[in-house]
Amino acid sequence: VAKINSNYQKLAAGYLFPEIGRRVAKFASENPNAKVIRLGIGDVVLPLPAPILKAFHDGVDEMGVVSSFKGYGPEQGYAFLREAIAEHFKSQGANVDSDEVFVSDGSKCDTGNIQEIFALDSTIAVTDPVYPVYVDTNVMAGRTGAADENGRYGKLVYMPATADNNFDPSLPTGHVDLIYLCSPNNPTGAVMSREALAKWVAYAKQEGAVILFDSAYEAFITEPGLVKSIYEIPGAREVSIEFRSFSKTAGFTGVRCAYTVVPK
Amino acid sequence: VAKINSNYQKLAAGYLFPEIGRRVAKFASENPNAKVIRLGIGDVVLPLPAPILKAFHDGVDEMGVVSSFKGYGPEQGYAFLREAIAEHFKSQGANVDSDEVFVSDGSKCDTGNIQEIFALDSTIAVTDPVYPVYVDTNVMAGRTGAADENGRYGKLVYMPATADNNFDPSLPTGHVDLIYLCSPNNPTGAVMSREALAKWVAYAKQEGAVILFDSAYEAFITEPGLVKSIYEIPGAREVSIEFRSFSKTAGFTGVRCAYTVVPK
């Protein structure tokens, strides 16, 4: 008899956001007059701005004429976009080539999918609290043990990032293979300092670990001198994959366009 | 030291289409005057028709106004689309409910991703020849052994579908858990008969197996009486998941919209 992937049964309460959706839908149907303020998925509430609308309309028009019609695109994304992304990194002091950029349909998908290229017995470190996609995708793939009564999974290394340590997580005491870092952080909003990132890069080099650096919210950093890309840190190209998104600026959330950098 | 997923190293010659792309690019750069007829990925060459262009423009306009703007959509896809899909199945004599439909960005992704919900030690049967996505995704996940000198993988059950058996593959002699069937078939073009499908449904019920039925090309069936959906076969709802796509009609390829049916 065909069997399901039993790792899914380890998921503590199902994936967080559908579970919130189910509870909100149940409450709303039982209380049709209640006004519900939704604090689950951060959705957008304002329409797309005019320049984005124009670009979309122009793109659709391109698809209607033989001379500019496009079929399947190149696997890594169109060159014009990858080159613009690489220039954007360079303007931030980060050395990224256009052929190191992989365009995708979102950072949620990218940060979930990236784990598949690593060994199933990899040791994973995550901050606590953490964006649940990093954890749940590894649970489903079988890289963790069962959840305990607090919803924490066996084999996962949790690094607390709370007000007590100024949201600056400590290095693991032992070896880990993969380290998820998110700056600006989802959910705390904290931005990692240059010194903290340099400490993580040094640890990754020493341990032969890979840092999975999620900077989807980098556009919100306005304070001069703060690090936007991990590739601003010397040596980071040897040990880091960076994830970025167009979703978090200009009301693009839900439209789905993001990119991942994998240095040669 | 972080290790890669060593299953990728089993891939016989890399995924077929990127490999064709690499060889074509190499030949074209060495022979800049040669006219190359590309027989790899079946890409589209004509622009989108007017009704689709209009629907895209209308959709973009919706995103520019507060009253009609949409953020994240529902996980399974918008109800209006799922309901239209369910009606389309019913018009073909197949019983599908709208809450059994999952809208996606393509049947390639769906047929590749579906295997993750099944156990890693599942036994897989595929026709030979076969659409390479079914095989390669299971290789990468670790459900096969190494490739032999003919590029066939250990543990996979191959079911020949050639002119010798009129492209009607025989049932496996032993037990399998998952069976990939494709009708109309990619690459042979053969359509499975009602009798052949009934035979497979009976086998799946007997063995507790699941049929993964790819009907992405169903719109090309014009001969009356041929089966378009496996759910036209009595009992198929208990043992089958069906994959369909908007890509193969109306020049939609590359635009990416498809759907999967998982009966309750």
Side-chain angles (χ1 to χ4, degrees):
Chain A
V1 175
K3 293 183 293 293
I4 66 164
N5 175 351
S6 58
N7 293 308
Y8 282 50
Q9 294 169 310
K10 294 179 190 165
L11 289 172
Y15 178 57
L16 180 66
F17 298 127
E19 177 62 23
I20 292 175
R22 276 188 292 274
R23 294 192 194 186
V24 169
K26 180 166 184 288
F27 178 87
S29 81
E30 290 169 1
N31 303 274
N33 296 320
K35 287 196 164 182
V36 179
I37 300 172
R38 291 162 199 272
L39 294 174
I41 293 179
D43 206 351
V44 274
V45 291
L46 291 174
L48 296 180
I52 293 180
L53 290 173
K54 180 175 185 310
F56 273 125
H57 279 304
D58 290 350
V60 173
D61 285 337
E62 274 186 19
M63 296 291 280
V65 185
V66 175
S67 59
S68 54
F69 173 77
K70 295 181 174 75
Y72 286 125
E75 288 92 6
Q76 274 190 241
Y78 287 104
F80 77 87
L81 179 56
R82 291 187 288 103
E83 285 160 11
I85 290 167
E87 285 308 309
H88 179 65
F89 273 107
K90 288 191 176 78
S91 77
Q92 296 182 336
N95 178 21
V96 169
D97 285 345
S98 65
D99 61 351
E100 299 173 325
V101 176
F102 296 75
V103 178
S104 78
D105 63 340
S107 285
K108 174 186 286 185
C109 318
D110 282 357
T111 56
N113 290 335
I114 194 73
Q115 40 100 6
E116 297 195 15
I117 71 172
F118 294 102
L120 208 52
D121 61 356
S122 302
T123 311
I124 316 276
V126 294
T127 59
D128 186 10
V130 65
Y131 179 47
V133 167
Y134 313 152
V135 173
D136 288 2
T137 52
N138 279 295
V139 172
M140 292 186 278
R143 285 194 192 78
T144 73
D148 67 15
E149 64 276 16
N150 297 315
R152 290 192 175 77
Y153 293 94
K155 295 189 200 169
L156 268 193
V157 175
Y158 289 91
M159 309 176 292
T162 63
D164 289 341
N165 61 7
N166 201 25
F167 303 103
D168 178 19
S170 300
L171 295 173
T173 50
H175 170 79
V176 302
D177 296 309
L178 302 175
I179 303 150
Y180 287 88
L181 297 177
C182 181
S183 176
N185 188 270
N186 177 354
T188 69
V191 175
M192 296 182 77
S193 69
R194 191 174 299 269
E195 295 68 32
L197 282 168
K199 178 186 73 176
W200 281 102
V201 167
Y203 171 86
K205 290 182 112 166
Q206 173 194 305
E207 295 292 329
V210 175
I211 296 171
L212 304 171
F213 186 73
D214 182 349
S215 60
Y217 293 90
E218 59 89 14
F220 291 92
I221 299 176
T222 53
E223 189 177 321
L226 287 182
V227 175
K228 295 195 160 206
S229 166
I230 197 167
Y231 304 123
E232 296 177 57
I233 309 297
R237 282 178 52 87
E238 298 165 42
V239 291
S240 313
I241 291 173
E242 181 162 335
F243 305 92
R244 284 191 174 189
S245 177
F246 292 105
S247 287
K248 308 308 177 191
T249 46
F252 215 96
T253 302
V255 172
R256 316 305 300 156
C257 191
Y259 48 101
T260 293
V261 176
V262 185
K264 297 185 196 78
Chain B
V1 174
K3 294 183 293 292
I4 66 163
N5 176 350
S6 57
N7 293 309
Y8 281 51
Q9 294 170 310
K10 293 179 190 165
L11 288 173
Y15 179 57
L16 182 66
F17 298 128
E19 177 63 24
I20 292 175
R22 276 188 293 272
R23 294 191 194 186
V24 170
K26 180 167 185 289
F27 178 87
S29 81
E30 290 168 3
N31 302 275
N33 296 321
K35 285 198 168 184
V36 179
I37 300 173
R38 293 163 197 271
L39 294 174
I41 293 179
D43 207 350
V44 275
V45 292
L46 291 174
L48 297 181
I52 293 180
L53 290 173
K54 179 175 185 310
F56 273 126
H57 280 303
D58 290 349
V60 173
D61 285 336
E62 274 185 20
M63 296 291 279
V65 184
V66 176
S67 58
S68 55
F69 173 77
K70 296 181 175 73
Y72 286 125
E75 287 92 9
Q76 275 191 238
Y78 288 103
F80 75 87
L81 179 56
R82 291 187 288 104
E83 284 160 12
I85 290 166
E87 284 307 310
H88 180 65
F89 273 106
K90 288 191 175 79
S91 76
Q92 297 182 337
N95 178 22
V96 169
D97 284 343
S98 64
D99 60 352
E100 299 174 325
V101 175
F102 296 76
V103 177
S104 78
D105 63 338
S107 285
K108 174 185 285 183
C109 319
D110 282 356
T111 56
N113 290 336
I114 194 74
Q115 38 100 10
E116 297 194 16
I117 71 172
F118 295 102
L120 208 52
D121 62 356
S122 301
T123 311
I124 316 276
V126 295
T127 60
D128 186 11
V130 65
Y131 179 47
V133 168
Y134 313 152
V135 173
D136 289 1
T137 51
N138 279 294
V139 172
M140 292 186 278
R143 284 194 194 75
T144 73
D148 67 16
E149 64 275 15
N150 297 315
R152 288 191 177 76
Y153 293 93
K155 296 189 199 169
L156 266 194
V157 175
Y158 290 91
M159 309 177 292
T162 65
D164 289 341
N165 60 7
N166 200 26
F167 303 103
D168 179 18
S170 300
L171 295 173
T173 50
H175 171 78
V176 303
D177 297 309
L178 301 175
I179 302 151
Y180 287 87
L181 296 177
C182 181
S183 176
N185 189 270
N186 177 355
T188 71
V191 175
M192 297 181 78
S193 70
R194 191 174 299 269
E195 295 69 31
L197 282 169
K199 178 185 74 176
W200 281 103
V201 168
Y203 171 85
K205 290 181 112 168
Q206 174 193 304
E207 295 291 330
V210 175
I211 296 172
L212 304 170
F213 186 72
D214 182 350
S215 60
Y217 293 91
E218 59 90 14
F220 292 92
I221 299 176
T222 54
E223 190 177 320
L226 286 182
V227 175
K228 295 194 161 205
S229 166
I230 196 165
Y231 304 124
E232 297 177 57
I233 308 298
R237 282 178 51 88
E238 297 165 42
V239 291
S240 313
I241 291 173
E242 182 161 335
F243 305 91
R244 285 192 172 186
S245 176
F246 292 105
S247 288
K248 307 308 178 188
T249 47
F252 216 96
T253 302
V255 172
R256 317 305 300 155
C257 192
Y259 49 99
T260 294
V261 176
V262 185
K264 296 184 196 78

